[in-house]
Each structure stands twice: as structure tokens, then as C-alpha cells.
Amino acid sequence: MNAELMPSELDTGASWDRPSRVRAPERTRCGWWDPSLGRLGIGESARTPGAAAAAYGAVPDSVRSAREFGVASLSAWGMPDMAENLRLIISELVGNACRHAVADDLPALTRVALQLRSLPEHDAVVCMVADPSPHGPVQVDAHHFAESGRGLGLISAFSREWGWNPLEEEGKVVWAMCGSDLF
């Protein structure tokens, strides 16, 4: 690769302004989040005919476990065609929560909760990830050589819509609706 042909960061129009936060419209404000499933302890999971939930510690291995749980839930609901998109969305949401929402020096004790809700009438699944941080995700315009900052852009590209809401008890939930009609 010839570095002389690569544009510099300033030439690409990278934004140095403070990025805006994405918030859910009032009509969907945590409407899918089930507080009772949100109280699972780290290492616990539950499945119902239309919902699935699991809680993890904020450690790297949790991302893989959450992906496997999500794909198994889709399979149980007869919706395997959404697996690849949901796998990416879970990876980004759980990974962001594990990376950015750790409140203390004990990430294994910081709880990250995953909930999935099947919406067969819309041929969709809603993926929700809650963490104890009250701060919402911030989407940035990452330079193409940046090592991070593309996650929310990927979520936006691979979901019908996404957003975040504060939770009444504590923290926030970031959600994305995944459907098979995206591509």
C-alpha cells in the first residue's frame, strides 16, 4: 500500500465536534424491557416463548457467551435467518457495555443484562442490553484507520432502528431491532 495515496485524517472530514446522542422516541421508551427479567444475577438466564434474558459480568468472555445465547434463542423461536445480524448487534452492544460501563475496578462483578424479545408479527427481534452506567452511547464518525468507534455505526447499519433509554432503577438500556428484511 502506498501511504502517499491515502488521505489524511483532516482531508476525510473527520468531525472534531462533540457527537450527538441517539435516544429512543417516546413511543418505544423501554416498552420491550422486562424489569423482572432484568434482575437476573450474573450467570443466570431465562427463556419464555417470546423472550430470553441472561446476565453476565463485564468481562471479554461475556461477549461470546451472549452471542451463543442469542443464536440459541433465535433457533428456539424458529428465526435462524436473523442470526448473523443479531450476532453482530449482540457483539457490539455487550462489548460496549463491558468496555464502557464498568463503574469500579471489579468488572466481573459489574452486571450486564441481555434481553431478547421476539416480535414475529414484525418478523423482528429486539436486542436490549442494560448496564449500570447512566451515560448513553455516543456515535462518532470514526476515521477509516481508527481502531475503535465504528460499533454504533454497525448497529445502525444492521438494525431497523436503535436507541437507548434510562432505566428507572439504575443505568440504561441500549436496544436495536433486528429484522430479516434488511438486506
Side-chain angles (χ1 to χ4, degrees):
M1 177 184 298
N2 186 343
E4 296 164 347
L5 299 176
M6 302 306 296
S8 72
E9 193 165 333
L10 294 176
D11 292 338
T12 63
S15 172
W16 297 104
D17 297 333
R18 181 178 169 88
S20 63
R21 294 182 178 174
V22 176
R23 298 209 44 178
E26 288 295 323
R27 64 181 167 74
T28 60
R29 195 169 276 276
C30 289
W32 299 296
W33 183 257
D34 183 343
S36 64
L37 289 175
R39 289 192 266 284
L40 293 172
I42 293 174
E44 295 181 331
S45 64
R47 280 198 183 97
T48 67
Y56 304 95
V59 296
D61 285 343
S62 295
V63 177
R64 179 185 44 78
S65 298
R67 277 194 311 258
E68 291 170 357
F69 180 81
V71 171
S73 297
L74 283 179
S75 179
W77 295 331
M79 305 171 96
D81 54 330
M82 293 181 215
E84 290 305 313
N85 289 351
L86 185 65
R87 186 174 293 146
L88 181 136
I89 289 168
I90 289 172
S91 293
E92 292 300 330
L93 292 181
V94 173
N96 284 348
C98 290
R99 198 171 307 115
H100 301 294
V102 178
D104 53 29
D105 292 334
L106 300 170
L109 300 179
T110 300
R111 194 171 68 82
V112 173
L114 168 68
Q115 282 190 30
L116 302 170
R117 173 99 34 215
S118 171
L119 303 174
E121 67 277 8
H122 300 291
D123 196 27
V125 172
V126 178
C127 174
M128 301 163 281
V129 175
D131 62 58
S133 173
H135 305 290
V138 178
Q139 188 169 359
V140 297
D141 292 326
H143 182 268
H144 59 274
F145 288 123
E147 293 183 12
S148 64
R150 291 190 189 86
L152 293 176
L154 288 171
I155 290 169
S156 181
F158 285 88
S159 66
R160 290 182 184 173
E161 60 181 302
W162 74 276
W164 73 277
N165 302 103
L167 288 173
E168 288 182 20
E169 343 38 278
E170 174 184 272
K172 68 173 173 307
V173 62
V174 183
W175 57 268
M177 182 185 288
C178 180
S180 61
D181 63 347
L182 289 171
F183 298 103

